[in-house]
Amino acid sequence: MLILLDRDGVLNQDYPDDYVKSPAELILLPGVGEAIAQLNARGWPVALCTNQACVGKGIIDEAMLTRIHNDLRDRIARDAGAHIDAIFFAPDPPWAVTDRRKPGPGMLREAMRQFHATPEQTVFIGDAVTDMQAATAAGCRRILVRTGKGKKTQAAGLPEAVLPVTIAESLPDAVARLLHEETDETIR
Ligand SMILES: [Mg+2]
């Protein structure tokens, strides 16, 4: 299985109406490194698909985004021995949106191509309705976490078009569910 993750609100604290502009502003949520390590141990590739309009808007440059992501990689490696296999980001500003920017499916399709995974073999975990829309457009299975914008997303009511969506409390909870399912399958 290929595991695709949104970044802000799933791995790290989401700032409504602001961006993570430096490594210091990236605050990891509890248990995230360990959850990714469990996916690594299971042999499932893990990739991020993250909208970062702050790059297209010129708020940070791509070099800073790379620093933030290198720091994220260092921290989960140090905390939990975890690694992320690939990071896809959409720098598109709102005035120049391509299909790579979620709710478009472009980044998810790139990830599936890179890892030779079909949509049926792919799960997307996010906290926003746009994540669920992107995953629906790409044909992947969807899990909404209640961290970040997740509680608000759930309370607002998910559009019928994105259903079915599995609800999880957090990334560690989502990962536990996926690993448990896998065990069930093995028993059957
Ligand atoms: Mg998010």
Side-chain angles (χ1 to χ4, degrees), residues 11-40:
L11 298 193
N12 56 278
Q13 198 176 306
D14 181 67
Y15 298 108
D17 310 318
D18 199 6
Y19 300 100
V20 173
K21 301 181 293 302
S22 68
E25 290 179 354
L26 190 118
I27 314 290
L28 283 181
L29 298 176
V32 156
E34 292 76 4
I36 295 173
Q38 287 180 311
L39 296 172
N40 297 152

Side-chain angles (χ1 to χ4, degrees), residues 6 8-9 127 131:
D6 172 44
D8 300 325
D127 69 321
D131 295 319

Side-chain angles (χ1 to χ4, degrees), residues 170-187:
S170 61
L171 181 63
D173 181 34
V175 168
R177 284 161 190 270
L178 290 169
L179 293 171
H180 183 248
E181 266 174 24
E182 186 76 2
T183 314
D184 285 351
E185 254 171 32
T186 310
I187 293 164

